[in-house]
């Protein structure tokens, strides 16, 4: 999905017209229209403003991740854990993550991904 398609989809989810969304961000209606059809790309400042308005990560707007925000990712992880998955270390990690701001949560996700990708800390599949 392109940046414009993401913007349009998020705007329509909230039943906003292009004019209403533009006014909320201090932009022109035509700028929003051009972003949505791909004739223009929003600059970094505008992307951050849009991400803040919709409460999503900039990476989601750019189409580089499918999860809207780190909070959504953490909710998905919590939902997939079952009682048998309950592990005191995972519980402590989730409790700590819940206390972090969005930037801290993003760093935690990046760090965890790096640990997994290194292979050194991957659990033995036969013990699962």
């Amino acid at each position: 999905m392109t940046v414009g398609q993401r913007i349009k989809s998020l705007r329509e989810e909230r039943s906003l017209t292009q004019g209403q969304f533009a006014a909320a961000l201090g932009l022109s209606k035509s700028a929003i229209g051009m972003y949505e059809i791909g004739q223009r790309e929003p600059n970094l400042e505008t992307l951050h403003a849009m991400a803040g308005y919709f409460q999503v990560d900039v990476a989601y707007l750019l189409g580089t991740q499918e999860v809207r925000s780190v909070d959504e990712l953490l909710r998905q992880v919590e939902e997939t854990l079952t009682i048998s998955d309950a592990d005191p270390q995972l519980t402590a990690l989730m409790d700590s993550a819940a206390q972090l701001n969005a930037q801290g949560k993003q760093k935690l996700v990046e760090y965890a991904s790096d640990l997994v990708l290194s292979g050194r800390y991957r659990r033995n599949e036969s013990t699962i």
Side-chain angles (χ1 to χ4, degrees):
M1 191 176 273
T2 67
V3 175
Q5 290 168 327
R6 287 276 163 106
I7 293 167
K8 183 176 182 177
S9 174
L10 289 166
R11 178 182 60 77
E12 288 177 342
E13 279 179 19
R14 287 158 182 77
S15 301
L16 294 170
T17 65
Q18 288 180 343
Q20 290 169 324
F21 182 47
L25 294 178
L27 300 170
S28 68
K29 177 184 170 194
S30 65
I32 299 298
M34 286 189 277
Y35 296 150
E36 289 184 0
I37 62 173
Q39 284 187 342
R40 279 181 56 188
E41 293 287 325
N43 63 29
L44 190 57
E45 182 180 337
T46 302
L47 280 171
H48 279 285
M50 289 177 173
Y53 184 86
F54 290 125
Q55 296 181 333
V56 298
D57 289 339
V58 171
Y60 177 77
L61 281 179
L62 293 172
T64 59
Q65 75 181 30
E66 290 303 311
V67 179
R68 291 181 181 215
S69 67
V70 175
D71 288 333
E72 182 179 318
L73 177 61
L74 289 173
R75 278 192 300 279
Q76 288 178 5
V77 168
E78 287 175 336
E79 290 171 4
T80 59
L81 291 177
T82 64
I83 301 296
S84 63
D85 292 329
D87 175 324
Q89 290 176 316
L90 287 176
T91 302
L93 179 62
M94 295 305 289
D95 290 343
S96 295
Q99 297 175 45
L100 297 173
N101 64 20
Q103 186 178 11
K105 289 175 186 174
Q106 182 63 41
K107 290 286 186 192
L108 181 60
V109 169
E110 291 168 5
Y111 184 67
S113 294
D114 288 345
L115 290 174
V116 171
L117 290 174
S118 76
R120 182 175 179 190
Y121 302 100
R122 214 179 265 269
R123 67 179 171 180
N124 185 343
E125 295 299 320
S126 64
T127 62
I128 298 176

